[in-house]
Amino acid sequence: TEMKLPGQEESDISSASENVPTGELDSGPGSGLSPDGPLDTDSRELEVPKDPPLFIQLNELLGWPHAPEWKETGRWVLFEEKLEVGAGRWSTPHVPTVALPSLQKLRSLLAKGLVLLDCPALSLQELTEQVTRVESLSPELRGKLKALLLQRPQHLIQTPCTGPCWGSAHPREASQEEEAPLKEQHQNPLRQKFAAGAEAGAVLAGQLGFLEQPLGVFVRLRDPVVLGPLIEVPLPSRFFCLLLGPPTLGRGYHEMGRAVAILLSDLQFQWRVRRASSLHDLLAALDAFLEEVTVLPPGRWDPTARIPPPKCLPSEHKRLPSQLRVAKGPSVRRRTPAEDRHGRRQHAANPELRRTGRLFGGLVQDVRRKASWYPSDFLDALHPQCFSAVLYIYLATITNAITFGGLLGEATDGAQGVLESFLGTAVTGAAFCLMAGQPLTILSSTGPVLVFERLLFSFSRDHSLDYLPFRLWVGIWVAIFCLVLVATEASVLVRYFTRFTEEGFCALISLIFIYDAVAKMLTLTHAYPIQRPGSPTYGCLCQYPDPGGNESQWTSTNPKDRDDILSMDLGLVNASLLPPPECAQRGGHPRGPGCHTVPDIAFFSILLFLTSFLFAMALKHVKTSRFFPSVVRKMLGDFSSVLAILLGCGLDAFLGLATPKLMVPREFKPTLPGRGWLVSPFGANPWWLSVAAALPALLLSILIFMDQQITGVILNRAEYRLRKGAGFHLDLFCVAVLMPFTSALGLPWYVSATVISLAHMDSLRRESRACAPGEAPSFLGIREQRLTGLAVFILTGISIFLAPILKFIPMPLLYGIFLYMGVTAISSIQFTKRVQLLLIPAKHQPDLLFLRHVPLSRVHLFTAIQLACLGLLWIIKSTPAAIIFPIMLLGLVGVRKALEWVFSPQELLWLDELMPEKERSIPEKGVEPEYSFSGNDSEDSELMYQPKAPEINISVN
């Protein structure tokens, strides 16, 4: 029979959320969930009236007939926890399972029992008076039962100081004056799992010898009341259920008690029972639960197995009463399109990506939009979480500056180096944080720009051009081109950057990282060949201080080989061709301190390279392992690069190795000797080169536009719930304005760094404090402000004075971090998983969601096209035409557009994303199952369990 819910019209508004967090980090009381569809981003921020969360406890009567006592044996917040009696602890949270006959027996017992809705009892004493008023009980039995119900139950409370303790070691009858909560209840750390306003439900079950027939009582209190020591946590109780009866075989009453607790822990049943007005409504709610029960065949699974909690709970929309589902369905479907699954299609409707039709119209709108938030961008930073974020991002930023500064110094023969990297990062980053539309973005050197710098330097060297003046004109032209892009609102084109484009961009840069790291190490082993003792090139390399305090180096190989080695650009400082006296006296054999054989250098360099890479990878995987507390795991994972560098530096210093070190100036002056801070506009170059620089500048502008805007798209995904909006036009304008400044000072070019920016957002996640055991904290959004980034870059500027320390960093360590960044980035994209499918037989392939909806042959075809595009990009990068590879990256958008002729919209929806035009032209039904919940049940169930909160992953370096 369909249940008629009282107050249904009034509840239509109050029940407008699904999976609302049980508590918020900053705002007021959180509470339970209402059975409605998902909220959109904005409505989640509102205070919506909803039911409070419910804690259910099962007390079981044990020891009859000798010494009957109540003992807590189970508890439910969202998942079930059982008391491990032998181990004296609570089990891990797990999905509860119950036998179907227990639910059927419970229904029969409640149908014949006592149901009190809106009971006016205000204490445990009054409650026992109400529940014992059963006609079948004589006055004598009623007195015994009342005395039994007033006994204090035993609770296993894991107190933080004393460890496990029982709330009452000797159960005794409690008087009305002793109904105050016990001290152990107030010290129970489980209280921290509940938001303000949480309520409790007590279920009492067991066998009682003096009863001749089963007794079932269900009570809903009119006003929640703290029932003294009855509940292990001093929460006001809303529900009370009593299930007692004569002794029977098996665990009938225990399982019926678990059945009641499981029912009350179900959000839909709880929502119905809170609004029930009669026994008929209560039984209808139980029948509705039974209609949705999934039965597991007894011969195909182990009933003692415990199912771990899922990563994501299903949508509650399908479980609404039919009247509400019909009434609310269309609006919910409009709020839950396919972009919720991928998280990148909602930007098509963003106001930031709508053309205004005016010059600089998008920039003006960005400025107006962000101006209203500017004061709050500083006030919102007054939170302790921001201080920890500053430390984390500062270490990540200087690690990035050291790594890219060292590699840039090698790529440009010292024209730029670590000092320029620190100075440029500090100045440009601070200016960007003050002016940008998305201040959570972190400017830094990036892989694509590093590749272009290397290509530009090689072009200048091959054609005998003065590099820095040529670079200055390139930077000026880039600023002009980017301003044209801002004026014409070209940023709206980011709607066409689908996963296909992002993955191709990421895969290319990641492979460049990996290739360059390995190539650098091969170059180093060529400079220091590993030979057997006695070979002609077997000698020593010694380090000793010269009169000026600098470390000099000398090799005992023949002069030609020695000069070749020292001419290699491996970061060696102040090379000298004169042997130290202590080494010469030993005939060039490494017997004294500071002397090492050439094979030693190669061996230990490879050792440091592998150590930094493997250690960083190990720490990254520790973050998702089961070892150590969650705080320790997060710290180790977040600081994996920093810890790897510290470990390698310590190993290098302890062994006193002569490995190539980072080149760092001893004074505050440019790395390249003989030049000032300002770069001459022409130098030794002809005047017409200032005009010819427009051609490479056009290519770099395309690269910067793609790198900047792809990062912006990823950072401003709808699932991150940013309240203050994006600023695509304003961010590109800031990058354009800073470009001539960095070019004139000979500093590196900077653009948004996806990795560090995502890490910045991750460190500012707002999560609910109260969450059920076994449930991940609810994601509430990001703490949007400007102060953390500003503080990070100020500290980075102060770090310029760390040059005396940075010179001890071995270059092989940076190569290892470079390899780590490449491997981490390429392993985080779906493209890598699909490439692996090419080598995995069908029966061993993982259960990926897109494999359920797209034929395997079509998946392989899509992957093959991506591989072909990646191979073509790599070939172009490796030829003299490498400087045009930014145009080829932009060509990925055209290739993706052409795929619409090869693949159906349904296939592209699961493998990639739909282009904006296709989104408007494709009908909802039949293409996107998530639009409708009335279609295939299997598709619905798959989509119901897809993560609704974002997982911040490394996508692009």
Side-chain angles (χ1 to χ4, degrees):
T1 302
E2 187 65 39
M3 177 180 61
K4 178 66 177 179
L5 295 178
Q8 178 176 306
E9 294 77 14
E10 294 79 10
S11 66
D12 286 350
I13 299 176
S14 64
S15 61
S17 65
E18 177 257 2
N19 283 348
V20 177
T22 55
E24 292 194 2
L25 192 62
D26 301 314
S27 56
S31 58
L33 317 176
S34 62
D36 202 350
L39 270 177
D40 55 7
T41 303
D42 295 331
S43 59
R44 280 187 180 271
E45 301 293 334
L46 304 176
E47 287 294 331
V48 182
K50 46 191 176 291
D51 294 335
L54 191 64
F55 169 69
I56 304 101
Q57 175 179 308
L58 173 62
N59 293 346
E60 192 171 357
L61 184 63
L62 304 174
W64 178 267
H66 306 290
E69 61 179 8
W70 295 104
K71 193 171 188 177
E72 181 186 7
T73 59
R75 63 187 187 187
W76 288 255
V77 182
L78 185 60
F79 304 102
E80 181 179 13
E81 293 178 90
K82 292 183 179 180
L83 177 66
E84 312 283 15
V85 180
R89 68 173 188 177
W90 287 105
S91 70
T92 57
H94 55 275
V95 178
T97 57
V98 63
L100 191 59
S102 298
L103 290 169
Q104 295 170 343
K105 293 178 182 177
L106 174 65
R107 191 189 189 286
S108 301
L109 187 58
L110 292 179
K112 301 176 183 178
L114 176 64
V115 175
L116 301 176
L117 301 178
D118 295 330
C119 177
L122 299 177
S123 65
L124 182 60
Q125 186 83 19
E126 295 182 15
L127 181 61
T128 56
E129 292 284 352
Q130 295 283 346
V131 300
T132 54
R133 290 177 181 176
V134 181
E135 297 180 359
S136 59
L137 293 178
S138 64
E140 181 182 0
L141 295 181
R142 192 173 301 165
K144 290 182 179 181
L145 181 59
K146 181 180 176 182
L148 187 64
L149 294 177
L150 290 176
Q151 283 189 357
R152 285 181 178 172
Q154 294 190 46
H155 307 298
L156 179 63
I157 300 176
Q158 302 279 352
T159 56
C161 300
T162 60
C165 68
W166 293 96
S168 176
H170 302 284
R172 54 194 171 89
E173 184 175 335
S175 64
Q176 190 170 0
E177 291 77 13
E178 293 176 316
E179 288 187 1
L182 301 174
K183 179 181 178 181
E184 293 82 0
Q185 291 176 274
H186 289 287
Q187 295 177 346
N188 193 340
L190 189 62
R191 296 182 62 188
Q192 302 174 2
K193 299 292 184 180
F194 304 107
E199 298 176 351
V203 181
L204 279 66
Q207 299 179 358
L208 201 55
F210 57 75
L211 292 180
E212 297 180 355
Q213 58 184 0
L215 172 64
V217 179
F218 185 87
V219 179
R220 186 186 70 199
L221 294 172
R222 183 176 58 192
D223 300 311
V225 178
V226 177
L227 299 179
L230 182 64
I231 306 294
E232 69 163 299
V233 184
L235 294 174
S237 296
R238 171 70 70 176
F239 298 101
F240 179 89
C241 185
L242 179 65
L243 303 172
L244 296 173
T248 59
L249 296 177
R251 307 175 65 193
Y253 294 100
H254 170 81
E255 289 302 318
M256 280 194 292
R258 289 186 62 252
V260 174
I262 292 171
L263 285 168
L264 289 175
S265 67
D266 180 73
L267 299 176
Q268 292 293 330
F269 180 85
Q270 183 190 140
W271 186 81
R272 289 177 168 92
V273 170
R274 285 181 181 275
R275 292 154 180 80
S277 59
S278 64
L279 172 63
H280 171 75
D281 292 342
L282 176 63
L283 297 179
L286 200 157
D287 291 336
F289 180 87
L290 287 173
E291 290 178 359
E292 301 179 50
V293 166
T294 300
V295 178
L296 296 173
R300 294 295 181 268
W301 93 294
D302 182 6
T304 63
R306 293 174 179 173
I307 305 173
K311 293 182 179 180
C312 180
L313 295 177
S315 168
E316 297 290 330
H317 178 265
K318 280 191 68 176
R319 303 184 58 199
L320 283 173
S322 59
Q323 306 99 311
L324 296 182
R325 186 162 63 244
V326 171
K328 293 176 178 292
S331 62
V332 173
R333 288 196 295 270
R334 287 194 297 270
R335 291 198 302 262
T336 57
E339 55 264 29
D340 287 343
R341 184 179 69 251
H342 295 299
R344 290 193 292 268
R345 284 179 54 201
Q346 281 188 342
H347 60 68
N350 283 351
E352 297 91 342
L353 298 176
R354 294 176 184 166
R355 287 191 180 275
T356 63
R358 302 186 302 272
L359 284 179
F360 293 101
L363 176 63
V364 173
Q365 284 193 351
D366 282 352
V367 173
R368 290 176 178 174
R369 187 183 306 111
K370 303 303 293 187
S372 60
W373 294 103
Y374 203 80
S376 68
D377 285 343
F378 293 92
L379 297 177
D380 291 348
L382 303 179
H383 190 277
Q385 184 184 17
C386 294
F387 293 99
S388 60
V390 167
L391 176 61
Y392 168 40
I393 302 303
Y394 164 69
L395 292 176
T397 301
I398 63 170
T399 302
N400 197 69
I402 292 171
T403 304
F404 280 96
L407 297 171
L408 191 61
E410 288 190 328
T412 60
D413 284 347
Q416 300 171 73
V418 176
L419 185 64
E420 286 87 352
S421 180
F422 270 84
L423 180 61
T425 301
V427 176
T428 59
F432 186 85
C433 283
L434 289 173
M435 300 185 301
Q438 181 49 269
L440 296 175
T441 303
I442 299 294
L443 286 195
S444 179
S445 298
T446 62
V449 177
L450 175 62
V451 171
F452 191 88
E453 291 262 25
R454 182 187 295 113
L455 295 174
L456 190 65
F457 178 80
S458 300
F459 178 84
S460 301
R461 182 184 56 193
D462 295 342
H463 294 82
S464 302
L465 301 177
D466 198 350
Y467 169 64
L468 288 178
F470 181 43
R471 182 180 180 273
L472 169 61
W473 285 107
V474 171
I476 293 174
W477 279 107
V478 168
I480 295 174
F481 290 143
C482 288
L483 289 177
V484 171
L485 293 175
V486 174
T488 57
E489 300 179 296
S491 294
V492 299
L493 297 177
V494 303
R495 296 180 299 168
Y496 298 94
F497 290 173
T498 65
R499 175 186 287 168
F500 181 88
T501 308
E502 294 177 19
E503 288 185 342
F505 186 81
C506 174
L508 176 66
I509 302 306
S510 301
L511 290 178
I512 292 174
F513 274 33
I514 297 171
Y515 176 83
D516 284 353
V518 176
K520 292 293 183 183
M521 286 305 302
L522 293 177
T523 302
L524 189 147
T525 55
H526 175 73
Y528 301 105
I530 300 179
Q531 301 288 342
R532 294 184 178 181
S535 65
T537 59
Y538 183 85
C540 79
L541 183 142
C542 303
Q543 291 184 336
Y544 65 99
D546 62 14
N550 297 326
E551 289 183 349
S552 297
Q553 302 162 355
W554 177 84
T555 58
S556 65
T557 55
N558 64 74
K560 183 178 183 304
D561 292 337
R562 179 190 62 208
D563 294 341
D564 290 342
I565 294 172
L566 295 177
S567 65
M568 298 298 296
D569 184 19
L570 293 171
L572 300 176
V573 184
N574 298 324
S576 173
L577 300 183
L578 297 177
E582 62 272 19
C583 188
Q585 292 174 2
R586 297 179 176 86
H589 293 287
R591 294 291 186 269
C595 295
H596 301 276
T597 64
V598 172
D600 284 342
I601 299 173
F603 173 77
F604 286 117
S605 296
I606 295 175
L607 177 64
L608 291 179
F609 172 76
L610 295 177
T611 298
S612 60
F613 168 69
L614 296 177
F615 188 68
M617 290 295 294
L619 291 182
K620 177 181 180 294
H621 288 93
V622 165
K623 188 175 182 179
T624 56
S625 69
R626 297 184 178 182
F627 300 102
F628 310 113
S630 58
V631 176
V632 177
R633 294 200 309 269
K634 188 176 187 302
M635 291 291 292
L636 292 176
D638 292 341
F639 298 108
S640 56
S641 299
V642 179
L643 294 176
I645 290 179
L646 292 178
L647 174 67
C649 290
L651 183 62
D652 182 84
F654 177 75
L655 298 177
L657 304 179
T659 51
K661 300 298 192 297
L662 187 66
M663 294 178 62
V664 182
R666 295 179 178 272
E667 302 175 4
F668 185 73
K669 61 181 182 180
T671 303
L672 186 65
R675 87 165 181 95
W677 279 112
L678 285 176
V679 177
S680 172
F682 295 101
N685 297 328
W687 67 268
W688 55 264
L689 197 63
S690 61
V691 180
L695 181 58
L698 178 62
L699 302 176
L700 180 59
S701 300
I702 297 173
L703 182 62
I704 287 180
F705 177 79
M706 292 195 64
D707 204 352
Q708 173 68 35
Q709 302 298 37
I710 284 178
T711 302
V713 169
I714 295 173
L715 262 62
N716 292 283
R717 287 174 179 167
E719 72 240 39
Y720 296 143
R721 303 180 188 173
L722 300 180
R723 298 179 297 111
K724 301 181 181 180
F728 292 98
H729 309 281
L730 181 56
D731 290 348
L732 185 60
F733 175 80
C734 293
V735 172
V737 170
L738 292 171
M739 190 65 65
F741 170 77
T742 55
S743 301
L745 295 179
L747 304 178
W749 289 319
Y750 292 96
V751 73
S752 298
T754 311
V755 177
I756 304 180
S757 300
L758 287 177
H760 189 201
M761 293 180 65
D762 193 20
S763 65
L764 295 171
R765 292 170 66 103
R766 294 169 53 242
E767 295 180 336
S768 59
R769 288 178 178 173
C771 56
E775 179 191 22
S778 301
F779 177 73
L780 304 178
I782 304 294
R783 198 174 302 282
E784 302 173 64
Q785 37 73 47
R786 297 179 184 268
L787 202 56
T788 54
L790 187 62
V792 164
F793 291 115
I794 291 175
L795 292 175
T796 304
I798 298 174
S799 302
I800 294 175
F801 302 101
L802 295 177
I805 300 176
L806 299 178
K807 69 177 183 179
F808 294 106
I809 298 179
M811 289 301 295
L813 276 183
L814 301 185
Y815 301 152
I817 298 300
F818 209 46
L819 178 64
Y820 162 73
M821 294 168 66
V823 171
T824 302
I826 200 170
S827 62
S828 66
I829 58 179
Q830 187 201 79
F831 170 65
T832 305
K833 297 183 178 66
R834 286 189 277 106
V835 170
Q836 294 173 355
L837 292 178
L838 295 172
L839 307 175
I840 303 176
K843 63 179 180 180
H844 297 303
Q845 289 176 353
D847 186 20
L848 300 175
L849 193 59
F850 60 83
L851 290 179
R852 302 181 185 180
H853 302 274
V854 182
L856 185 59
S857 59
R858 306 291 287 173
V859 174
H860 289 340
L861 177 60
F862 189 85
T863 306
I865 294 175
Q866 277 190 297
L867 283 172
C869 292
L870 182 60
L872 181 61
L873 288 172
W874 186 268
I875 292 173
I876 293 176
K877 185 201 75 69
S878 305
T879 63
I883 200 168
I884 70 169
F885 88 98
I887 295 181
M888 304 307 298
L889 284 174
L890 190 60
L892 291 176
V893 179
V895 175
R896 168 59 185 83
K897 185 68 177 176
L899 290 181
E900 295 180 356
W901 297 87
V902 181
F903 296 92
S904 67
Q906 174 79 14
E907 292 170 340
L908 291 176
L909 191 63
W910 289 104
L911 295 175
D912 186 46
E913 299 167 18
L914 294 181
M915 291 287 193
E917 292 83 1
K918 280 291 181 182
E919 292 174 10
R920 293 192 295 268
S921 62
I922 291 176
E924 294 178 354
K925 187 174 181 181
V927 173
E928 177 49 77
E930 194 168 347
Y931 281 126
S932 174
F933 287 91
S934 59
N936 189 299
D937 288 340
S938 63
E939 288 185 345
D940 286 349
S941 62
E942 292 167 3
L943 295 169
M944 286 166 61
Y945 284 91
Q946 294 310 300
K948 301 301 187 297
E951 294 182 3
I952 299 182
N953 295 321
I954 295 177
S955 298
V956 181
N957 282 297

